[in-house]
Amino acid sequence: MSMRRAIRDNGLSLFFLALFVLALVGQSIAGFFRNNSELADHGMATIGFGEFVTSSGFLVDVAENWQSEFLQFFLFIAATVWLVQRGSPESKKPGDGGPGSDEDQRIGAHARGDSPRWARLGGWRTVVYGNSLLIVMGAVFVLSWLAQSLGGVVVMNEENSMHGAPAITWLDYVVSADFWDRTLQNWQSEFLAVGTMVAFSIYLRQRGSAESKPVGVPHHVSALESD
């Protein structure tokens, strides 16, 4: 496979990977200067870039965004198994809720010759593979949430130390108002974004996008029903 074809065939993934890297680098640079500005304002010594990007403060900022994003997709993937929204290309058509039959899913005896191996084997491996997207999204969410909470308690205790307050435990932190204020700020924005995408896509179109129905399809018809 030529390099040009590889880029063309994976353009969507590569595009968002590039945006992710650029945004993360930009965040680290902006956060580095902001952090050192705050340290200087308090008469404290500034730190190097390497020390900043390995600090608990930077970990918290990154992890709290990651966990909200993966929670969003975890819930959306799980919800769309059973719940439908008539007319939305983000949903199956009404009446099709549920995991589907083995024939519909092309697993076990109904698998094709070129189906993934675990889809053809049956048993626990097919069960795991059939839920692998949800499992991985959920695992990344849990790990990101854990990283956020562990980094957050370190930052909180550093601030407490500067103000002469006692240190707190991880459990104290994860039930604190500070932790849930930061967490729920991200969650509510993600839920709003997904909900509006589902609703707006019933009535609005973007010609050529896989996330939109064809322009001339009626509002009440889903993309799957339009074929």
Side-chain angles (χ1 to χ4, degrees), residues 16-29:
F16 280 100
L17 176 62
L19 288 180
F20 164 72
V21 172
L22 290 173
L24 185 61
V25 170
Q27 177 190 354
S28 66
I29 294 172

Side-chain angles (χ1 to χ4, degrees), residues 160-180:
N160 286 347
S161 177
M162 288 189 292
H163 293 89
I168 63 173
T169 66
W170 174 81
L171 185 59
D172 290 332
Y173 179 67
V174 295
V175 296
S176 69
D178 178 79
F179 176 76
W180 285 105

Side-chain angles (χ1 to χ4, degrees), residues 75-76 78-85 90-93 96-98:
L75 292 177
F76 187 61
T80 53
V81 174
W82 298 98
L83 304 179
V84 301
Q85 175 58 59
E90 303 296 325
S91 166
K92 294 183 286 190
K93 63 183 180 181
D96 280 356

Side-chain angles (χ1 to χ4, degrees), residues 24 43 53 78 120 128 130 151 175 196 225:
L24 185 61
V53 296
R120 291 184 274 111
V128 170
V175 296
T196 53
E225 294 174 291

Side-chain angles (χ1 to χ4, degrees), residues 44-219:
M44 301 174 67
T46 58
I47 62 175
F49 182 74
E51 185 177 355
F52 171 71
V53 296
T54 56
S55 68
S56 295
F58 182 68
L59 170 65
V60 170
D61 290 339
V62 172
E64 75 176 25
N65 285 304
W66 286 19
Q67 58 96 357
S68 63
E69 295 291 344
F70 281 96
L71 174 64
Q72 168 197 163
F73 285 112
F74 173 83
L75 292 177
F76 187 61
I77 293 165
T80 53
V81 174
W82 298 98
L83 304 179
V84 301
Q85 175 58 59
R86 181 180 293 277
S88 176
E90 303 296 325
S91 166
K92 294 183 286 190
K93 63 183 180 181
D96 280 356
S101 66
D102 288 358
E103 183 177 3
D104 292 336
Q105 294 295 314
R106 297 179 181 175
I107 59 178
H110 304 283
R112 298 178 6 166
D114 57 353
S115 294
R117 182 169 178 267
W118 277 35
R120 291 184 274 111
L121 290 174
W124 67 270
R125 285 170 291 195
T126 297
V127 172
V128 170
Y129 187 68
N131 295 280
S132 56
L133 183 58
L134 198 63
I135 291 169
V136 170
M137 289 292 183
V140 176
F141 160 68
V142 170
L143 291 174
S144 300
W145 182 89
L146 185 60
Q148 175 198 352
S149 65
L150 291 173
V153 73
V154 173
V155 172
M156 177 67 76
N157 282 333
E158 288 174 350
E159 293 176 354
N160 286 347
S161 177
M162 288 189 292
H163 293 89
I168 63 173
T169 66
W170 174 81
L171 185 59
D172 290 332
Y173 179 67
V174 295
V175 296
S176 69
D178 178 79
F179 176 76
W180 285 105
D181 177 54
R182 293 173 65 102
T183 298
L184 292 173
Q185 283 184 49
N186 286 305
W187 286 10
Q188 55 87 12
S189 63
E190 303 301 340
F191 299 154
L192 176 65
V194 172
T196 53
M197 179 65 177
V198 170
F200 287 173
S201 62
I202 299 172
Y203 303 102
L204 307 179
R205 308 287 188 272
Q206 178 52 59
R207 182 171 180 167
S209 173
E211 298 303 309
S212 170
K213 295 182 290 190
V215 178
V217 170
H219 297 322

